[in-house]
């Protein structure tokens, strides 16, 4: 998917491109020999809705790991806007055999993820109309 978006009313426009899995970044093939993969799970902060893909924290992490030398790393940006920890766990279940991560990093934003996990609307501090907590039960 290709698209252009503004974020939070700011004038900055960023280019958004997703792969066939709906993740921000290139297609994910089999893990090459000698490469260590990091799966970055999170919400819109991980996805990087307000920044170019190269500015999102998973891409910055990949650059920092590459600068250290040693083994080669690939960081897969699996941030999905609006996802709480329950959905991220289910997404991990779907992606782990395809991505084959050596390490999983969970981007947790105290701005909204605590309330998401409690199934509480920030505006009213009342129960959400769509109960995201049910994904924990759906995992089995």
């Amino acid at each position: 998917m290709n698209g252009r978006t503004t974020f939070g009313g700011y004038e900055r426009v960023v280019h958004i491109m997703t792969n066939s899995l709906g993740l921000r970044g290139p297609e994910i093939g089999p893990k090459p020999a000698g490469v260590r993969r990091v799966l970055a799970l999170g919400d819109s902060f991980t996805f990087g809705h307000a920044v170019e893909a190269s500015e999102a924290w998973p891409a910055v992490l990949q650059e920092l790991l590459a600068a250290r030398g040693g083994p080669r790393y690939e960081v897969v940006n699996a941030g999905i806007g609006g996802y709480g920890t329950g959905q991220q766990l289910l997404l991990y279940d779907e992606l782990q055999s395809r991505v084959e991560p050596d390490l999983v990093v969970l981007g947790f934003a105290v701005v909204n993820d605590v309330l998401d996990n409690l199934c509480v609307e920030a505006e009213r501090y009342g129960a959400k109309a769509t109960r995201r907590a049910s994904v924990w039960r759906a995992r089995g």
Side-chain angles (χ1 to χ4, degrees):
M1 175 183 110
N2 289 307
R4 293 174 63 84
T5 184
T6 58
F7 186 79
Y10 295 100
E11 293 296 319
R12 183 170 189 207
V13 176
V14 297
H15 183 255
I16 303 290
M17 188 171 108
T18 57
N19 61 29
S20 62
L21 296 174
L23 305 178
R24 192 164 191 191
E27 291 298 327
I28 301 166
K31 183 167 66 170
V35 170
R36 294 184 181 167
R37 265 202 188 143
V38 178
L39 179 62
L41 294 169
D43 60 8
S44 59
F45 290 98
T46 299
F47 183 88
H49 282 285
V51 297
E52 296 295 333
S54 63
E55 298 169 310
W57 73 257
V60 173
L61 175 60
Q62 182 167 315
E63 287 179 23
L64 291 170
L65 291 170
R68 293 178 43 197
R72 193 172 134 230
Y73 286 87
E74 289 180 357
V75 179
V76 175
N77 184 340
I80 307 285
Y83 269 29
T85 309
Q87 287 97 347
Q88 293 155 7
L89 178 61
L90 294 174
L91 181 60
Y92 169 79
D93 286 344
E94 291 178 28
L95 293 176
Q96 74 90 16
S97 64
R98 174 94 182 251
V99 175
E100 302 176 79
D102 296 292
L103 177 69
V104 177
V105 178
L106 175 64
F108 189 86
V110 294
V111 176
N112 64 330
D113 288 338
V114 173
L115 296 177
D116 287 345
N117 288 341
L118 293 172
C119 300
V120 171
E121 292 284 357
E123 295 80 25
R124 299 179 291 122
Y125 293 103
K128 284 190 174 197
T130 57
R131 304 276 307 170
R132 290 187 187 172
S134 63
V135 298
W136 291 105
R137 291 186 294 277
R139 186 167 187 253

